[in-house]
Amino acid sequence: MSEQTTTSQRRVVVVGAGMAGVQTAVALREQGFTGTITLIGAEPHQPYDRPPLSKAVLLGKAEDSAFDVDFEGLGIELVLGREVLGVRPADHELDTEAGPVPYDVLVVATGAEPIRLPGAEGVPGVHLLRTLDDAERLRPVLARQHDIVVVGAGWIGAEFATAAREAGCAVTVVEAADRPLAGALPAEVAAPMAAWYADSGAELRTHARVDRVEPGVVVLDDGTRLPAGAVVVGIGARPATGWLAGSGIELGAHGEVVADERLRTSAPDVYAVGDCASFPSGRYGERLLVHHWDNALQGPRTVAADIVGEGPVVYDPVPYFWSEQFGRFVQYAGHHASADRTVWRGDPAGPAWTVCWLREGRLVALLAVGRPRDLAQGRRLIEAGVHMDPELLADPARPLKAATA
């Protein structure tokens, strides 16, 4: 792009029509970008929000979760149902199944794709829960109150098990690790959550590996055969970046796009945002790969500001997510990997409690179960880097913000 090209002539192409892609397009208009914006999505549906898929959409309480965005009014060209095959940064061109698409600025927002259970593809009754089509395929399964086996006790497994129990299904959750949420939380924090399954009438089997899936049956590696009218696989997700192979754009160990503190990639005029990108966190002193909705909401503002030339805006959020499971509202903010102290607020056997992680006296992360005020105050305290008094912090009756050192 020549220096003389005005902003009104610049072409921004966004690949991926999920939260990160849609918010990037909207943020560009909000920040005054007047050039052309093209949003390309692989799915044929109007762009939609994913969190309701495991809740209201799945249970038939909502038909879909389309974003309330007037794309036409904002002058955003929507190209739906189109697969992007690759990108040639030197030529500033995307390759799509309908031919090449030129760009001046490209934003990669292709999100993550679910990891599939080896050997289960093509077996009838095996489902993923990532897309609107997935949710629509599962809705009648719940309505028929099948015996359901959920593979994986992570966030999505717990949310699906919650919905299936609410629909009256018999649910067995199998988890290879020794506890739910093994990849996300330390053992002592995840341990109390195991009881939530039994309380809801779901069976949780830990140390349980799937050997194979047959029609109507999940066979574990110890020979146990679990009846399964349906199988839902929730064993994680990986960045959807296969289409970048051969582009020269740097990818990280998990297949994610390696972005800098302004969410720029290693290729000129190419940004990456949301689940498909990692970024360096000055706050936490390490590179973060965050697969959560809030990251897909916040990152686009940084990308848009950089594209319109607002000056360098550094992306260094306090990661945040929430989950509704087994009648509990679970929220997490921060990043606890480098913490040197853990402080509990309340009894983890009870309905409401919080875990706080400190590093050198400062709050770096917290998990709040049924304590939204702790989360709201804690998130601000993490952002401010405030020193906390651990003794005051441990008193659940004291507001979190009143426990500063």
Side-chain angles (χ1 to χ4, degrees), residues 51-235:
L53 296 184
S54 60
K55 306 173 184 76
V57 174
L58 191 59
L59 290 168
K61 296 176 182 176
E63 275 308 303
D64 61 30
S65 53
F67 290 117
D68 184 18
V69 174
D70 181 1
F71 293 101
E72 191 175 350
L74 289 171
I76 297 167
E77 181 192 8
L78 271 185
V79 179
L80 301 175
R82 183 170 302 178
E83 203 73 46
V84 175
L85 306 174
V87 59
R88 290 172 282 114
D91 300 328
H92 278 62
E93 272 191 346
L94 277 178
D95 290 315
T96 79
E97 56 190 4
V101 175
Y103 66 83
D104 293 312
V105 179
L106 174 67
V107 181
V108 177
T110 41
E113 56 197 4
I115 297 171
R116 296 174 184 274
L117 186 65
E121 291 186 52
V123 178
V126 177
H127 300 264
L128 298 166
L129 180 51
R130 184 75 185 181
T131 68
L132 182 59
D133 288 342
D134 292 337
E136 288 179 345
R137 279 190 289 268
L138 277 164
R139 200 187 289 175
V141 172
L142 295 193
R144 289 195 295 270
Q145 298 187 332
H146 275 298
D147 284 353
I148 293 178
V149 174
V150 180
V151 183
W155 300 111
I156 199 75
E159 290 183 3
F160 179 80
T162 299
R165 285 299 299 140
E166 194 175 321
C169 300
V171 179
T172 303
V173 181
V174 296
E175 169 58 54
D178 62 349
R179 62 187 188 275
L181 295 166
L185 296 173
E188 70 274 15
V189 177
M193 299 176 174
W196 300 355
Y197 288 77
D199 290 349
S200 78
E203 181 184 1
L204 172 64
R205 287 174 172 251
T206 55
H207 299 287
R209 293 187 177 277
V210 175
D211 179 64
R212 64 189 184 277
V213 180
E214 300 171 355
V217 179
V218 173
V219 184
L220 303 183
D221 62 0
D222 65 358
T224 303
R225 297 173 67 84
L226 302 173
V231 180
V232 176
V233 179
I235 54 175

Side-chain angles (χ1 to χ4, degrees), residues 279-288 315-317:
F279 56 90
S281 170
R283 186 189 313 279
Y284 292 106
E286 61 183 284
R287 181 166 283 277
L288 300 183
Y315 187 60
D316 195 9

